[in-house]
Structures are given as C-alpha cells and as structure tokens.
C-alpha cells in the first residue's frame, strides 16, 4: 500500500511551470507529488519548470520531485530541473528532489538535481539541500549529485544549506 498526494495543477501554463502558488493549509508541495506514505517507488521520472511559492500561510516543505515523505521510499533514475523560488514568511524544508523526510527510510540512487533553489524566510528556519532539504529518518544516497545553486536566507535564524542534504538528524549514508 502507498499514498501519493498530488497537488492539483491541472491547467499549468506552457512549459510545465507552476507560478504564484497560493495554497492555504497545504504543507507539502512537489513537482510530481506533494507527499508520500506507505511503501513507494518513484522510478525514471523527470520534473521541469518553476515552483514559485509566494504566499503560503503554514510552514511549507517543497521538493522538485516530492514535497514530503513519511514513506519507505525508493527513488531511482530521477531528474529534477525545477527551479524553486520561495521568498515567503514560512518556508521550511526545500530540496531539489525531496523537501523533507520525516519517517520511514529513503534510498536515492542514480538521480540528480539541476534546478536552482532560492529560499528566504522571516519566521521559520529554512533548510535547503541540492537533493534533500531535511531528513529526520534514515537516508541513503548513491551515485547521485547536485549541479545547481542552493541559496537560503533567514532574518531571524541561521539557515541550513548544502549541496546534497541541508540537514540530517538521523542515519545518513552517502556512497
């Protein structure tokens, strides 16, 4: 059993671009799926375009492929080319592939990010990573890379930003 929550973007402008996302109460935003739970495999996927989040009331997790995961997740041969721009009050965890991993275990293999990330926040501490914004559950990354700029800023706290994983508070293996 698995669950993928898709953000409703049925009428995107040409070029697969989602701009000026205004979602009240939605915490997980992704280029392919908002959130995942259960046992999930995401294989051979490509996301292109722009996620421009300019008005979010709750702390949001944003990923080029997947916003948030509490799943036993395998991501294989995926490419993100989505630029993420989030100059909002409550940006949370932002990653080129996955915004946040809260439970379960995740394995990312032969995948990459080439979408730039530019986040800033005045309330929440932003976590930004080329592959994963933040992981508080087991994460293994192999044969995967980031080839994009990662920028994070916050007026009240120090942001976390890195080429692969913005922050990890659990088991992290990079091969």
């Amino acid at each position: 059993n698995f669950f993928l929550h898709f953000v409703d973007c049925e009428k995107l402008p040409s070029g697969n671009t989602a701009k000026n996302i205004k979602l009240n109460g939605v915490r997980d935003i992704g280029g392919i799926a908002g959130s995942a739970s259960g046992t999930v495999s995401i294989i051979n996927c490509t996301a292109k375009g722009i996620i421009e989040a300019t008005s979010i009331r709750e702390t949001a997790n944003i990923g080029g492929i997947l916003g948030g995961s509490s799943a036993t997740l395998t991501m294989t041969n995926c490419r993100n080319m989505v630029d993420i721009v989030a100059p909002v009050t409550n940006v949370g965890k932002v990653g080129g592939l996955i915004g946040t991993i809260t439970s379960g275990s995740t394995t990312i293999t032969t995948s990459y990010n080439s979408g730039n990330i530019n986040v800033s926040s005045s309330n929440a501490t932003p976590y930004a990573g080329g592959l994963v914004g933040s992981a508080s559950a087991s994460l293994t990354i192999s044969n995967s890379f980031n080839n994009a700029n990662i920028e994070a800023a916050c007026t009240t706290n120090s942001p976390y930003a890195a080429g692969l994983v913005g922050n990890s508070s659990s088991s992290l293996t990079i091969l």
Side-chain angles (χ1 to χ4, degrees):
N1 292 337
F2 69 92
F3 175 75
L4 289 176
H5 173 251
F6 293 91
V7 175
D8 185 12
C9 297
E10 31 182 0
K11 295 185 179 176
L12 295 178
S14 63
N16 298 320
T17 301
K19 284 191 170 184
N20 298 321
I21 296 171
K22 294 181 180 166
L23 303 169
N24 295 326
V26 174
R27 292 185 46 110
D28 298 320
I29 302 164
I32 292 186
S35 62
S37 61
T39 300
V40 177
S41 295
I42 301 176
I43 301 169
N44 298 327
C45 67
T46 300
K48 297 179 181 179
I50 298 170
I51 295 175
E52 185 176 343
T54 58
S55 178
I56 299 174
R57 290 189 181 169
E58 291 191 36
T59 301
N61 304 307
I62 305 170
I65 303 286
L66 178 62
S69 176
S70 61
T72 298
L73 173 68
T74 302
M75 183 177 288
T76 306
N77 197 32
C78 290
R79 297 157 300 282
N80 175 55
M81 295 175 240
V82 174
D83 289 333
I84 299 171
V85 179
V88 297
T89 302
N90 292 318
V91 70
K93 295 152 182 131
V94 180
L97 299 179
I98 303 169
T100 188
I101 300 165
T102 57
S103 62
S105 64
T106 299
T107 301
I108 299 171
T109 307
T110 58
S111 298
Y112 71 87
N113 172 55
S114 64
N116 295 313
I117 296 173
N118 187 326
V119 298
S120 59
S121 177
S122 58
N123 285 343
T125 300
Y127 297 85
L131 298 183
V132 177
S134 180
S136 54
S138 176
L139 172 61
T140 301
I141 299 170
S142 67
N143 298 318
S144 299
F145 65 93
N146 170 56
N147 188 26
N149 295 318
I150 311 300
E151 298 178 30
C154 184
T155 57
T156 57
N157 300 303
S158 296
Y160 293 83
L164 295 181
V165 180
N167 181 59
S168 175
S169 61
S170 189
S171 171
L172 172 63
T173 304
I174 300 174
L175 306 169

